[in-house]
Amino acid sequence: MKESEIAPGERTGSETISPARQAWVENIALLLRHKKLILSVTVVVVALTAVYAFVFMPNWYRASAAALPARKSGGLLDNISGGISSTIKDLGITKLGGGSGEGSYSPLALLNSRELRVKLVKQFDMMKVYESKTMSDAVDEFSDHVSGEISEEGDFSISFEDTDPKRAAAIANALVAGMNEINTRMAVEEAKLNFVFVEQRFKKNTSDLDSAERELGRFQQKYGVYVLPEQAKAELVAVAAAEAEKNSTELRLHAIEQTYGTQTPEAQILRNALGELTAKLEQMKSGQDAKASSYFVPMKVLPEVALLYLRLMREVEIQSKLKAFILPTYEQAKLDQTKVTLAFVTLDHAVAPQKKARPHRSIVLAISAIASFILTSIFIMLYANWIEVRKRFAEDRKRLAIPS
C-alpha cells in the first residue's frame, strides 16, 4: 500500500508499536522461552533454602519479664520531713534530699548499661555460646538480643532472645535483678555525696543556733529581759500607777494648802510623799529602781532593746526551725548510704517459652522464591542482550573487514 493510499488516522503495524513497548514484548517472549529454566532455578533455590532453614537455621526463643517501678515506702523520717514542710514554707526553704522522682533511674538507661551486660555474658558463659573471640564481640552479640519497652500503663517489659528457651528466661530475670543492683549501687553513691552536703549544712546550722542562743542569753543577762512583751506591759502598768498616785498626791496637797495653808503638818507629809513618788518615778523610767531593776527596762532605751530582742528571737526561731527540718534529712541521708533501693519489682517473671519467636520459615521460603525468580529473569535478559551485542559486533567487524 502506498503512502498516499493510507486513510487519515490509520497507521501500519510497525508504526503502532513504540520502541519501549516492543522491548517489553520481546523481553516477555524471551522469559516465556526460558520458563523451564526459570522455574527449575527457582525450585532448586527454594529447596536448598528449605534444607538450610529446617536443618541448619536454629530456633530463637524470646522470654519476657514484666516489672513495675518500686513504690517508695514512707518511713518515719519521711513522714517527719513531710509534716514539717508546711511549718517552714514561709521561710522559702526547699527539701535538701531530692525531689519526687528520687529512688530510681531510667529503666532504659539501666538496661543499656555495659557493666550489666558484661556481667551477664560472664555469668552465662555467652562467649562460648556465641563462639566469640573477644568479650567486646560477645557483648555486641548479646546486646542484639536484649530489648526493653515501657508501656503507657507504666510497666516495663524486658525481653531476651536465645536458642535455649530456659536460658532466655533465666537471662531475662537476671536482667531485672541486675538493673536493681546497679540502681542500688548508684543510689548509694549519690546518697554518700548528698550526705556530705547535708552533714555540712547540719553542722553549720548547729553552730549558728548555738551562737544565736548565746547572744540571746547575754542580752537577757544584760537587760534582764526574758519575755519582753509581758515585761514591757507590766512596766507600763507600774509606771502608770505611779503617775496616777503622784497626780492624786498633788491634788490633795494643793487642796490642803488652799484650805489650811502650806505650813500644816498634813501639807508637809503630803509634800514629802510627793517628793518620794517623783524620785521613784524617775528611777523607774531610768531603770535605777532597785526593787524593779530585775524586770524593768529603762524607758529611754526600751525601743532599741525591743528591736534587738526581736532580732535575736527571730534568729533563734529560724535556726530552730531549720534544725527541725535538717535533722530528719540528715538522719535519712545516713540511712540512705546503707539501704537497698529497688528500682523495679517483678510483676511477671520470665518463663521458658514454648513457641519460637523466629525464624518464620514460610516467609523465608517465599522471599527466596521471589528473589530467585526475579534474579534468574534479570540474568536471562542480560545474557540475551550480551549475545545480541556480540552478534552485532561480529557483523560490524566482518562488514568493515577487520581481522579477528
Side-chain angles (χ1 to χ4, degrees):
M1 181 180 297
K2 297 181 180 180
E3 184 177 354
S4 59
E5 296 177 352
I6 299 176
E10 294 183 2
R11 295 292 185 271
T12 62
S14 61
E15 292 177 331
T16 57
I17 300 178
S18 64
R21 181 177 178 83
Q22 181 179 351
W24 184 79
V25 171
E26 289 175 353
N27 287 330
I28 294 298
L30 178 64
L31 295 178
L32 290 176
R33 287 198 304 271
H34 296 84
K35 58 181 179 294
K36 292 184 179 180
L37 175 61
I38 296 174
L39 293 176
S40 299
V41 171
T42 302
V43 169
V44 170
V45 171
V46 171
L48 293 176
T49 304
V51 171
Y52 173 76
F54 287 96
V55 177
F56 299 101
M57 189 178 290
N59 291 329
W60 288 88
Y61 299 89
R62 180 183 293 110
S64 299
L68 290 173
R71 296 178 59 186
K72 184 182 177 183
S73 59
L76 177 60
L77 293 176
D78 293 333
N79 294 334
I80 294 174
S81 298
I84 66 175
S85 61
S86 59
T87 306
I88 62 172
K89 187 181 298 182
D90 57 329
L91 301 178
I93 301 171
T94 57
K95 187 176 180 182
L96 300 176
S100 60
E102 65 177 341
S104 63
Y105 302 92
S106 167
L108 291 177
L110 295 174
L111 185 62
N112 291 329
S113 167
R114 184 172 181 82
E115 174 189 345
L116 173 61
R117 299 186 180 192
V118 170
K119 176 184 176 181
L120 293 183
V121 166
K122 293 179 180 179
Q123 179 180 344
F124 291 92
D125 197 14
M126 300 306 288
M127 286 187 65
K128 182 178 180 181
V129 174
Y130 296 143
E131 298 180 354
S132 302
K133 295 182 180 180
T134 63
M135 175 61 69
S136 178
D137 293 338
V139 171
D140 292 340
E141 178 70 18
F142 183 88
S143 301
D144 292 338
H145 302 293
V146 177
S147 61
E149 182 180 0
I150 301 177
S151 69
E152 295 180 356
E153 290 75 16
D155 62 305
F156 185 58
S157 176
I158 303 99
S159 301
F160 185 79
E161 285 184 337
D162 197 89
T163 54
D164 185 347
K166 293 183 179 179
R167 186 167 56 211
I171 292 178
N173 290 324
L175 283 168
V176 179
M179 290 166 64
N180 277 324
E181 291 177 2
I182 293 178
N183 182 82
T184 297
R185 176 182 61 78
M186 294 178 65
V188 169
E189 292 176 357
E190 185 177 353
K192 289 180 179 179
L193 295 176
N194 185 56
F195 173 75
V196 173
F197 170 75
V198 175
E199 184 180 36
Q200 292 175 350
R201 189 65 185 87
F202 176 74
K203 290 181 179 179
K204 184 178 185 304
N205 169 250
T206 302
S207 176
D208 292 343
L209 180 58
D210 290 342
S211 298
E213 289 175 344
R214 285 194 297 269
E215 288 292 330
L216 181 61
R218 285 193 291 267
F219 171 85
Q220 291 172 334
Q221 290 179 356
K222 179 178 180 180
Y223 292 102
V225 175
Y226 299 96
V227 187
L228 183 60
E230 286 77 4
Q231 288 181 246
K233 182 179 179 180
E235 183 175 352
L236 293 175
V237 170
V239 171
E243 287 281 1
E245 186 176 356
K246 176 185 174 182
N247 292 334
S248 176
T249 303
E250 288 177 345
L251 292 175
R252 290 169 58 194
L253 176 61
H254 179 72
I256 289 177
E257 288 178 343
Q258 290 293 327
T259 305
Y260 302 106
T262 59
Q263 301 302 321
T264 60
E266 292 84 357
Q268 188 62 35
I269 293 174
L270 289 176
R271 195 176 294 112
N272 292 336
L274 180 61
E276 292 178 1
L277 285 174
T278 302
K280 183 177 180 180
L281 188 60
E282 290 298 327
Q283 291 176 356
M284 292 175 63
K285 291 182 178 181
S286 62
Q288 297 178 358
D289 186 7
K291 296 182 179 180
S293 60
S294 60
Y295 58 89
F296 272 13
V297 180
M299 297 294 291
K300 61 182 179 180
V301 297
L302 185 59
E304 291 79 4
V305 171
L307 181 60
L308 180 58
Y309 174 80
L310 291 176
R311 288 176 179 174
L312 291 173
M313 286 299 298
R314 180 178 61 188
E315 182 65 19
V316 171
E317 185 71 13
I318 290 175
Q319 296 301 330
S320 298
K321 289 184 177 181
L322 279 174
K323 186 172 184 178
F325 172 70
I326 296 176
L327 180 59
T329 307
Y330 174 66
E331 297 296 334
Q332 184 67 53
K334 289 196 292 186
L335 293 177
D336 287 342
Q337 297 181 89
T338 58
K339 73 176 183 180
V340 175
T341 306
L342 290 179
F344 313 98
V345 291
T346 304
L347 179 62
D348 293 316
H349 288 85
V351 296
Q354 301 297 322
K355 297 182 179 180
K356 63 180 178 65
R358 60 182 180 90
H360 302 286
R361 293 183 172 84
S362 59
I363 297 178
V364 172
L365 295 178
I367 292 175
S368 65
I370 295 173
S372 61
F373 179 85
I374 294 175
L375 293 176
T376 304
S377 300
I378 293 174
F379 175 79
I380 290 174
M381 288 187 290
L382 292 176
Y383 183 75
N385 290 334
W386 183 68
I387 295 296
E388 183 65 23
V389 170
R390 288 192 60 187
K391 181 180 178 181
R392 292 177 182 177
F393 177 75
E395 291 176 353
D396 293 340
R397 188 175 60 183
K398 184 178 180 181
R399 185 168 56 251
L400 299 172
I402 299 175
S404 58

